[in-house]
Amino acid sequence: MDDFKLIIDGLYEVFYENKKSTDILNKIASKREDISYITRSIYGVIERKLYLDYIISKLSKIKIKKLDKKVLLILEVGIYNIHFLDRKNYAIVNELVNVTKKESNKSKGFVNAILRSFIRDEENLSKINIKNEYEYLSIKYSCPIWIIEYLNLSYDEDFTKKFLLSLNDKRFISIRVNNKKISKDDLKKILIKRGYKVSDSKISKLSLRITNPSKLASTNEFKAGLFTIQSEASIKVCEELNPKERSNILDLCAAPGTKTSLIGELVNNNANIIANDISFNKLSKINENIERLNLKNIEITNFDASEYIAEYKEKFDYVLCDLPCSGLGVMDRKPEIRYNRDMDGVKKLASLQKRILDRAFMYLKKGGILLYSTCTLGMYENLDNYIYLTKKKRLKNIAIDDKPYIEYTPFEDNTDGFFMTKFEKI
């Protein structure tokens, strides 16, 4: 019952207090040795919420929106365990009824009836009886309709369906090798000896893929700065920026500092780097990465990147614009994103990105390099901003892998949805 309490409280924080699932699980992990079941249940309910609520709506005379929040979570956890974890027994019902007694005693009979009814008629109740294609896909993949419509608009229906199919796929973790301290082959051998399943990245030269990453950040190799946990597309961004020693470099939206730290490694601590972020609370994370990797010549600043800084005019040889975005490309790792975004928010972010890109352009020296990237999908934040940059007369596009821009997708590249494009000021 203690596990269920942690799961339900964690889900409450995600859905009703806008907390991040990763932060919640990290907090639980600091107190528990094995949280595999808790992790699977929290992520499972988030990934399947719309489908779970659809089933509950068939069984409940009370509308979903009128149900007590904790009671709804208890039902979602119960349906998920019964249907997806194959825990088809009444013992789990009894456990969840006992949890209900502590959260809302008057609802214990209601929860008991709903879960027992589902066990008795699971085959029929689990079917989706909806003819509208978008509504059907939304419930089947627990993805809001606006995202489906937006992806169809930005790409096509085939793309959208492949993306939805890939949403809940299990993915590997990628790490960045610090080749100033160890070769990729030597690190690979060490990690394999420790029992990790390791393979080379198909995207980044500095990256390795780990399919069983449990306790990776607790290894001596991580603590010694031999590698950093970072998505391979994110690593590719810095490889393409390709900063040189004795240059001035600005990372405009740097938190949590993984790209900044890679830039520091690439220039051998021999460049002037400014790592900026608007969020003061995130600056400590940037500093943590810098200190762990023993990096130097990095100044941390805290200003709004959309505001103009006069002293930065034509000062920098490189400006990295890995900008705030909707994050639709990382919904597999951060499944709650699908519930706390909307189309209006995407358009506002696209507008903010353009303002920041305007500032970045002004900060570049002639011959300087600007690299724009996001971890999202969709035309407003990606292709439209590429086109926006091409219209600046003093910017020349530089191909990445013989393309004007790259857009990775989870279903084609088995990595985060990620966009990047590169320009030189002429």
Side-chain angles (χ1 to χ4, degrees):
M1 191 166 77
D2 188 38
D3 280 356
F4 283 132
K5 172 69 173 164
L6 289 170
I7 291 165
I8 290 159
D9 286 348
L11 288 167
Y12 187 91
E13 290 182 86
V14 170
F15 290 131
Y16 304 112
E17 295 179 356
N18 203 28
K19 300 283 182 65
K20 294 180 180 179
S21 55
T22 50
D23 291 343
I24 290 161
L25 289 167
N26 286 338
K27 184 172 67 176
I28 295 172
S30 68
K31 302 173 183 176
R32 287 286 197 95
E33 184 66 28
D34 182 7
I35 64 162
S36 55
Y37 170 67
I38 293 171
T39 301
R40 191 161 68 245
S41 293
I42 286 179
Y43 278 138
V45 170
I46 298 171
E47 291 166 353
R48 306 286 184 179
K49 179 175 172 57
L50 299 186
Y51 177 63
L52 298 171
D53 288 354
Y54 173 74
I55 292 173
I56 293 166
S57 69
K58 289 183 176 184
L59 290 159
S60 172
K61 292 180 180 179
I62 304 171
K63 290 185 177 181
I64 294 291
K65 290 183 178 180
K66 292 189 175 181
L67 285 172
D68 177 271
K69 292 182 176 67
K70 284 287 183 75
V71 171
L72 176 59
L73 289 172
I74 290 166
L75 291 174
E76 288 168 346
V77 170
I79 300 292
Y80 175 75
N81 272 263
I82 293 164
H83 189 59
F84 290 101
L85 301 186
D86 204 29
R87 298 184 68 184
K88 296 174 177 60
N89 59 69
Y90 293 113
I92 192 172
V93 177
N94 293 335
E95 285 187 63
L96 287 167
V97 167
N98 286 332
V99 174
T100 308
K101 288 177 184 177
K102 294 184 177 181
E103 298 293 348
S104 176
N105 188 55
K106 65 180 181 180
S107 302
K108 61 182 185 293
F110 174 73
V111 168
N112 184 59
I114 295 287
L115 295 180
R116 287 174 181 268
S117 295
F118 180 64
I119 289 175
R120 286 194 296 269
D121 196 18
E122 180 184 359
E123 184 177 351
N124 287 321
L125 289 167
S126 60
K127 292 176 182 176
I128 303 173
N129 305 308
I130 291 177
K131 292 183 179 179
N132 181 282
E133 185 180 14
Y134 284 5
E135 289 182 23
Y136 175 86
L137 291 172
S138 175
I139 290 167
K140 182 175 181 179
Y141 298 105
S142 286
C143 186
I145 289 176
W146 77 264
I147 296 179
I148 295 171
E149 292 175 337
Y150 178 44
L151 293 179
N152 280 343
L153 177 67
S154 299
Y155 309 100
D156 55 38
E157 290 189 359
D158 182 60
F159 179 101
T160 304
K161 287 178 181 177
K162 287 177 179 176
F163 172 75
L164 292 172
L165 276 168
S166 74
L167 257 185
N168 299 330
D169 286 352
K170 288 185 178 179
R171 299 207 196 285
F172 53 81
I173 289 289
S174 61
I175 64 171
R176 176 186 98 218
V177 181
N178 185 348
N179 62 7
K180 303 297 182 290
K181 294 187 174 184
I182 191 171
S183 71
K184 186 161 76 170
D185 285 343
D186 284 347
L187 179 61
K188 189 176 179 180
K189 289 174 185 176
I190 291 170
L191 293 176
I192 289 172
K193 193 172 181 180
R194 285 190 176 276
Y196 290 104
K197 296 176 182 177
V198 187
S199 60
D200 291 331
S201 168
K202 297 177 181 179
I203 291 172
S204 160
K205 295 175 183 177
L206 290 173
S207 182
L208 291 170
R209 294 176 169 185
I210 316 291
T211 54
N212 57 335
S214 178
K215 298 183 179 180
L216 195 59
S218 299
T219 61
N220 291 331
E221 290 73 26
F222 176 81
K223 293 174 183 176
L226 302 189
F227 69 88
T228 295
I229 298 170
Q230 184 177 1
S231 77
E232 53 191 347
S234 172
I235 300 168
K236 172 80 168 176
V237 164
C238 297
E239 291 174 341
E240 290 301 329
L241 185 68
N242 193 24
K244 306 302 181 188
E245 294 185 31
R246 296 183 295 279
S247 61
N248 292 322
I249 305 164
L250 173 61
D251 186 352
L252 262 176
C253 302
T258 48
K259 294 183 187 71
T260 300
S261 63
L262 176 50
I263 290 169
E265 291 173 7
L266 292 174
V267 297
N268 295 306
N269 277 331
N270 189 19
N272 298 311
I273 303 169
I274 293 179
N276 175 72
D277 204 88
I278 191 173
S279 174
F280 180 80
N281 292 333
K282 293 179 180 179
L283 301 184
S284 61
K285 197 67 180 176
I286 300 174
N287 195 55
E288 182 182 309
N289 271 300
I290 291 170
E291 289 186 351
R292 182 177 64 86
L293 297 165
N294 195 29
L295 297 169
K296 300 173 183 178
N297 302 323
I298 300 175
E299 177 187 353
I300 299 175
T301 57
N302 177 219
F303 63 83
D304 182 346
S306 68
E307 298 293 329
Y308 179 59
I309 308 296
E311 65 187 88
Y312 286 178
K313 184 179 179 180
E314 297 190 340
K315 178 179 179 178
F316 295 96
D317 302 286
Y318 302 91
V319 179
L320 174 58
C321 296
D322 184 59
L323 300 188
C325 68
S326 57
L328 302 183
V330 293
M331 284 199 295
D332 59 322
R333 291 194 288 109
K334 302 175 182 179
E336 62 270 20
I337 281 175
R338 68 191 81 184
Y339 308 118
N340 54 32
R341 301 286 191 272
D342 58 34
M343 197 68 250
D344 185 53
V346 168
K347 290 178 179 178
K348 286 179 179 177
L349 280 166
S351 178
L352 172 65
Q353 290 155 359
K354 288 180 177 65
R355 292 200 302 275
I356 297 174
L357 288 170
D358 286 341
R359 303 302 181 228
F361 170 77
M362 298 170 80
Y363 301 152
L364 268 183
K365 295 178 182 178
K366 183 178 180 180
I369 299 297
L370 182 155
L371 198 146
Y372 171 63
S373 63
T374 71
C375 59
T376 196
L377 298 169
M379 61 185 185
Y380 293 134
E381 299 176 84
N382 292 346
L383 182 58
D384 282 8
N385 282 337
Y386 159 76
I387 294 170
Y388 181 75
L389 289 170
T390 62
K391 291 179 179 178
K392 291 188 179 292
K393 292 181 180 179
R394 292 190 61 198
L395 282 183
K396 179 181 72 174
N397 180 251
I398 299 175
I400 300 175
D401 295 344
D402 299 320
K403 299 175 182 178
Y405 59 84
I406 287 181
E407 190 166 41
Y408 294 116
T409 65
F411 59 86
E412 289 178 334
D413 304 294
N414 196 22
T415 191
D416 293 343
F418 214 96
F419 179 90
M420 67 185 78
T421 187
K422 182 177 177 180
F423 288 83
E424 178 186 356
K425 192 170 186 178
I426 56 177

